[in-house]
């Protein structure tokens, strides 16, 4: 029996949602190249594209954006829960707890139908930033800043986090990060969401499963680790950084933000985020990109690894003043679109996801009674 550890190389399903070519570094959402989407699109537009399988007309986009804006506010009970949770808890853990509570308030929780699924998807996309921002307000003991209906998804998050009129460049930067993180084939968290949906569990449970899976440092937790690593390396010269990399690799440790299961070349999302991080560095006077580039050169020389999407994402968020432990929630705010799109697809063409295993334990044994051991 052939075992593919980590399901590496296994094709588990067919999809028309997105496509990655890991050798050429190509990513497409529903056939549209990520570089075109990054240049010309908006988060709302790609959310529509993913959910409705086509680019919106101007009329459709306005209607969809308005609908998301109207769905942003949270039930009072969720706000109460956010106040109850400890301030030391990681924001991603808070988020998944709040999503579970949100599900408990939905009278249509168990209804799985195309219309209800779409309604829940839009609700989850719209409410995710509010959960994240309200918790940030609460844990920093600042007044809750309610969402605004006149702002785009990205602008509204920045408004709720900072309570100042969002800067257009910051909005553009966050919108770009949201576009780039929205969907990425069968990554671990999306697969978790699909596994959960394949049991016909509810959409909130699927998001909880996906968020818990995203949390790990090998997945969405990587961007926070990258910034911690840069802070650790601050002030070190290239020789010292090289030695640090060599030692880490010698110990068999991973360097966060490098490597990818599918891309064996530069991740196209990292290319776009690097450009944006550089633009922001010039405005803020920070030097994240210079330091990231230096480390990337060293890691490439030592191990031939390319940076992935999480490598430059942190430098964009840090330049926007987003706290390190909220980086993963910025990812969630975007990937919720991919998760929900995949769930809709799974419910529509459902087949329980249940792989096999190869047993390598004891041969059949005779049971020995407790008193006789
Ligand atoms: N640092 C050091 N070595 C790495 C590495 C990293 N970030 N990523 C991969 N490698 C090495 C492995 O040690 C292994 O080397 P070996 O063949 O000499 O033993 C080889 O590359 C293959 O790595 P492996 O972990 O088996 O690949 P994978 O497809 O299972 O893992 C990741 C993919 C993303 C989990 C892995 O690259 C990783 O852990 N990266 C760091 C975390 C990260 O940035 N995650 C965000 C992903 S978008």
């Amino acid at each position: 029996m052939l075992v593919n550890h980590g399901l590496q190389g296994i094709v588990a399903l067919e999809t028309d949602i997105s496509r990655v070519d890991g050798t050429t570094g190509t990513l497409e959402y529903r056939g549209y190249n990520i570089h075109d989407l990054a240049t010309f699109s908006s988060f709302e537009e790609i959310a529509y594209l993913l959910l409705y399988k086509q680019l919106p007309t101007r009329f459709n986009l306005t209607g969809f954006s308005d609908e998301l804006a109207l769905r942003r506010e949270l039930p009072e009970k969720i706000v109460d829960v956010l106040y109850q949770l400890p301030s030391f808890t990681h924001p991603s853990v808070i988020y998944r707890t709040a999503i579970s509570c949100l599900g408990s308030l939905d009278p249509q929780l168990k209804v799985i139908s195309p219309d209800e699924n779409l309604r829940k998807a839009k609700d989850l996309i719209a409410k995710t930033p509010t959960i994240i921002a309200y918790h940030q307000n609460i844990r920093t003991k600042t007044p809750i800043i309610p969402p605004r209906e006149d702002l785009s998804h990205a602008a509204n998050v920045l408004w709720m986090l900072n309570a100042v009129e969002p800067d257009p460049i910051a909005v553009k930067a966050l919108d770009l990060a949201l576009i780039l993180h929205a969907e990425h084939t069968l990554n671990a968290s999306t697969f978790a969401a699909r596994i959960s949906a394949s049991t016909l569990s509810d959409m909130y449970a699927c998001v909880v499963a996906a968020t818990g899976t995203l949390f790990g440092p090998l997945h969405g937790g990587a961007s926070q680790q990258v910034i911690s690593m840069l802070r650790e390396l601050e002030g070190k010269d290239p020789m010292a950084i090289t030695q640090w990399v060599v030692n880490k690799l010698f110990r068999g440790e991973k360097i966060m933000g490098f490597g990818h299961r599918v891309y064996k070349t530069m991740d196209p999302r990292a290319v776009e985020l690097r450009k944006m991080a550089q633009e922001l560095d010039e405005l803020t006077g920070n030097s994240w990109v210079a330091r990231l580039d230096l480390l990337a050169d060293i890691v490439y020389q030592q191990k031939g690894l390319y940076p992935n999407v999480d490598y430059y994402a942190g430098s964009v968020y840090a330049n926007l003043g987003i706290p390190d432990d909220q980086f993963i929630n910025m990812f969630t705010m975007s990937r919720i679109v991919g998760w929900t799109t995949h769930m809709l697809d799974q419910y529509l063409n459902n087949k329980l996801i249940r792989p096999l295993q190869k047993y390598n334990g004891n041969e059949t044994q005779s049971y020995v009674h407790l008193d006789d051991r």
Side-chain angles (χ1 to χ4, degrees), residues 58-110:
R58 199 174 287 281
F59 177 79
N60 289 340
L61 182 58
T62 305
F64 179 70
S65 306
D66 288 351
E67 187 181 353
L68 287 186
L70 285 170
R71 290 180 180 276
R72 284 178 183 152
E73 193 46 278
L74 297 180
E76 206 48 50
K77 284 203 166 85
I78 301 297
V79 184
D80 291 346
V81 167
L82 292 175
Y83 272 108
Q84 295 306 316
L85 295 169
S87 57
F88 59 79
T89 306
H90 194 285
S92 179
V93 177
I94 301 281
Y95 170 76
R96 69 178 187 237
T97 307
I99 288 294
S100 205
C101 295
L102 196 62
S104 73
L105 299 177
D106 188 342
Q108 305 297 320
L109 178 79
K110 288 186 169 171

Side-chain angles (χ1 to χ4, degrees), residues 7 55 92 106 108 114 140 151 170 229 267 279 312 368:
L7 299 182
L55 284 172
S92 179
D106 188 342
Q108 305 297 320
T140 53
L151 295 176
M229 178 172 69
D267 181 331
E279 211 179 297
Y312 291 102
V368 180

